[in-house]
Amino acid sequence: FDIVNHINQGKELIDDVEELYALTKLNIEAGTKAKKASAFELAFEYFDTALQLLPKNTWQQDYQLTLDLYNDAAEMAYLAVRAEFVEKYTAEILKNAKTVLDTLKAYTVRIAFYGSQGNHEKSIENGYEILEKLDVKIPRKPNKLHIITQLIKTKIRLRGKTADDLFALPQMESEQWKAAMSVLSMVTGPSYIYSTNLFALIVFKMIELSFKYGNNRFAGFGYAVYGMVLSGMMDLDGVKMYTDLSRRLLNAYPQDEQ
């Protein structure tokens, strides 16, 4: 860190392209080490410095490095509670990203940040934006009819299926649906506080995607929350079944899986 800090003090004096690139990489490496050490403020400073050193055409010149750096900077801005930079960096990603999946990290940072600040409406709105891009449709103003309809569909979908049947579903392979499950799991918290109708629809959507496209770690989360929904209906057998299934799925899939 000391060497990088020393060089950074004179960064304005560097005009050689290769030297600027080398210093950018040093700041990225320092930021990554600080991030792993949970020194979020320090990591933010290094990533922010690296961004300042990038050339104007950086998105065209080195797309992947630029995307990864902005993602890291946005995440550290969130963890360091730098609201202005969360907005700035994620907006830059959304403007320049080539694919929907390349915007995933920016959206999840926004969802988490606004949720942590108590702005549940804005957190949910960002969830809606990325879910629609991932071809996941959920009513923006859900009512009791939506809930009853989706509850019936979910019960029909799961009718006759044992925990072993559901556990034996193939692993989810599609990056699109894995991303959707990740986002859905993130917006359950804000939706539970902001709109119980939306919360229920999100749970039913997670069950639907798991049933159609296979299991992953977030399927375990979805079944756990579905068990919560059933507890409100006094379906104790269902609560036990889906809680046990959730535990099995969470143990079967690695924690860092998308």
Side-chain angles (χ1 to χ4, degrees):
F1 292 143
D2 290 340
I3 295 175
V4 180
N5 293 339
H6 180 72
I7 300 175
N8 281 343
Q9 290 176 5
K11 65 181 184 296
E12 289 81 6
L13 303 176
I14 302 174
D15 54 13
D16 181 81
V17 174
E18 291 186 2
E19 290 182 5
L20 285 171
Y21 182 77
L23 182 55
T24 300
K25 296 286 285 186
L26 284 175
N27 275 278
I28 292 173
E29 291 173 8
T32 301
K33 289 180 181 178
K35 176 182 174 180
K36 289 179 178 178
S38 298
F40 303 131
E41 182 68 34
L42 184 60
F44 167 78
E45 295 295 342
Y46 283 123
F47 290 138
D48 182 59
T49 299
L51 288 174
Q52 295 174 36
L53 295 169
L54 292 176
K56 290 183 178 180
N57 65 338
T58 184
W59 285 100
Q60 293 74 37
Q61 184 174 314
D62 197 335
Y63 175 81
Q64 196 59 52
L65 179 144
T66 306
L67 176 64
D68 292 343
L69 178 53
Y70 268 100
N71 277 331
D72 281 333
E75 182 182 18
M76 292 305 100
Y78 150 51
L79 293 171
V81 197
R82 298 289 198 96
E84 175 187 351
F85 291 95
V86 172
E87 290 277 4
K88 178 181 177 181
Y89 295 154
T90 55
E92 185 71 11
I93 294 167
L94 298 183
K95 183 175 72 174
N96 291 282
K98 292 179 179 179
T99 70
V100 173
L101 289 176
D102 283 350
T103 69
L104 178 63
K105 184 68 175 181
Y107 275 112
T108 56
V109 165
R110 284 186 168 188
I111 292 166
F113 178 72
Y114 294 127
S116 71
Q117 298 300 299
N119 193 341
H120 304 300
E121 184 175 7
K122 201 163 186 178
S123 178
I124 291 167
E125 178 57 33
N126 276 275
Y128 269 119
E129 284 185 21
I130 179 63
L131 287 171
E132 287 172 357
K133 293 178 181 179
L134 291 167
D135 201 28
V136 175
K137 303 294 188 286
I138 297 176
R140 285 181 173 266
K141 295 182 179 180
N143 53 42
K144 289 185 178 180
L145 180 59
H146 290 123
I147 304 303
I148 294 171
T149 301
Q150 292 306 315
L151 174 60
I152 292 172
K153 286 183 177 180
T154 301
K155 284 187 169 293
I156 291 173
R157 187 172 286 119
L158 297 177
R159 180 185 297 165
K161 300 296 181 184
T162 66
D164 287 339
D165 292 333
L166 297 173
F167 184 78
L169 289 173
Q171 182 172 346
M172 186 176 286
E173 298 292 343
S174 166
E175 295 301 321
Q176 174 188 354
W177 302 124
K178 287 196 286 185
M181 290 289 286
S182 173
V183 173
L184 288 166
S185 71
M186 290 191 69
V187 293
T188 52
S191 68
Y192 184 77
I193 297 170
Y194 185 75
S195 169
T196 53
N197 285 344
L198 176 59
F199 171 77
L201 289 185
I202 288 171
V203 174
F204 298 148
K205 181 59 70 174
M206 293 185 77
I207 300 300
E208 176 189 344
L209 295 182
S210 301
F211 192 82
K212 286 183 175 179
Y213 303 112
N215 288 324
N216 70 349
R217 185 170 183 81
F218 297 110
F221 178 80
Y223 285 118
V225 185
Y226 182 58
M228 289 176 52
V229 173
L230 294 180
S231 69
M233 303 175 189
M234 300 306 293
D235 181 357
L236 300 184
D237 289 338
V239 172
K240 183 179 186 308
M241 171 180 164
Y242 292 108
T243 301
D244 290 344
L245 173 60
S246 168
R247 188 179 300 112
R248 291 173 65 185
L249 288 168
L250 291 172
N251 289 332
Y253 292 94
Q255 188 169 358
D256 59 351
E257 179 193 90
Q258 180 180 289

